[in-house]
Amino acid sequence: MARVIFKKGKQKKWISQVLEKSGVHLEELAKIADISSRTIRDWRREKFSVSEKVLQLWINRFHLPFPHQVKIIPDYWYTTKGARQGGLKRMELYGLLGTLEGRRKGGHNSQINRSLYPERYSNCNLKKLFTVPVFSEKLAELVGIILGDGGITSSQLRITLNKETEPEYVDYVVGLMGETLGEKPKKFYFKGRASKTCNLILSGVGLI
């Protein structure tokens, strides 16, 4: 609701005048306005600004003059102030919007925050975390499969198998990758001349 802003010391004086001219106790004054007596005490201490609705109610009820030299501020006035402060803070952290320097600084700070607080970025594309494989016969077998039927790029592992002649083997390799690397690969089938081909693909710079 809209608020009434008094000059310093004037709000306390005005509340005291309302109590005096109304001839009622503070609790009764609060009951008339449907607010707590504590709210009126806070207003008298100038801890908070007075509600315009309550001020107008008291003026009409007790035939009081409208206070001089006050300013009415609308509902949600603080959002504009908060937005401005937020914008200034953002410029302070990341530089001017739309500039190369600002984007570079923003990206650098973003990477730092992602590293320090990964839980805040669970819905973003982050570098996958892979556990270090345990040396075992199964890992040795997988390495052999990769050397024979696989390929590795800077960010992806791919194993190409025949889905028609060895469908059970495809499922076996999928399980083997999941057990040794901690994540099962995705299956990609190709149409046309390569319709018999099934690619098992697992992506992640951390994996490679």
Side-chain angles (χ1 to χ4, degrees):
M1 63 183 68
R3 318 297 297 184
V4 182
I5 305 301
F6 288 78
K7 290 186 176 181
K8 187 174 181 180
K10 296 295 183 179
Q11 180 171 293
K12 177 181 178 180
K13 184 177 180 180
W14 188 79
I15 295 291
S16 298
Q17 289 175 347
V18 172
L19 285 167
E20 180 183 349
K21 293 185 179 181
S22 65
V24 299
H25 295 292
L26 187 144
E27 287 73 16
E28 181 65 22
L29 192 64
K31 186 176 181 181
I32 292 171
D34 194 24
I35 58 177
S36 69
S37 57
R38 180 176 180 177
T39 297
I40 299 180
R41 292 189 182 94
D42 287 339
W43 287 351
R44 188 163 57 180
R45 289 162 44 212
E46 301 189 349
K47 183 177 180 180
F48 304 111
S49 56
V50 177
S51 159
E52 182 194 22
K53 179 180 178 181
V54 173
L55 179 139
Q56 197 63 57
L57 175 66
W58 286 342
I59 288 176
N60 295 337
R61 179 69 177 268
F62 304 116
H63 307 289
L64 302 171
F66 195 88
H68 297 293
Q69 296 181 332
V70 295
K71 181 170 66 173
I72 308 297
I73 55 177
D75 294 346
Y76 310 115
W77 59 272
Y78 47 83
T79 57
T80 302
K81 181 179 179 181
R84 182 176 184 276
Q85 291 176 340
L88 292 174
K89 184 63 177 179
R90 190 220 173 277
M91 289 176 60
E92 177 185 336
L93 291 173
Y94 304 121
L96 293 174
L97 294 171
T99 65
L100 179 60
E101 178 186 359
R103 290 192 294 271
R104 184 185 294 116
K105 188 174 183 180
H108 177 68
N109 287 340
S110 177
Q111 291 301 319
I112 292 176
N113 287 331
R114 285 168 186 258
S115 299
L116 293 175
Y117 313 105
E119 69 280 359
R120 299 180 183 177
Y121 299 88
S122 58
N123 61 334
C124 300
N125 291 326
L126 300 176
K127 181 179 178 180
K128 289 183 181 179
L129 298 178
F130 290 89
T131 56
V132 178
V134 177
F135 290 116
S136 64
E137 291 184 2
K138 290 186 176 182
L139 178 61
E141 182 182 5
L142 178 60
V143 171
I145 295 172
I146 295 172
L147 291 173
D149 299 311
I152 295 178
T153 67
S154 61
S155 61
Q156 192 176 80
L157 165 63
R158 182 183 68 255
I159 297 177
T160 303
L161 302 173
N162 190 309
K163 69 175 183 179
E164 291 190 358
T165 62
E166 46 190 7
E168 294 181 357
Y169 184 62
V170 171
D171 292 335
Y172 172 76
V173 175
V174 169
L176 184 63
M177 295 175 72
E179 185 176 348
T180 56
L181 302 178
E183 183 174 337
K184 291 185 177 181
K186 293 183 179 179
K187 297 179 182 179
F188 291 91
Y189 300 99
F190 294 92
K191 298 179 180 180
R193 296 178 60 185
S195 60
K196 297 181 180 181
T197 300
C198 174
N199 276 345
L200 303 181
I201 297 179
L202 194 54
S203 300
V205 174
L207 167 68
I208 302 305

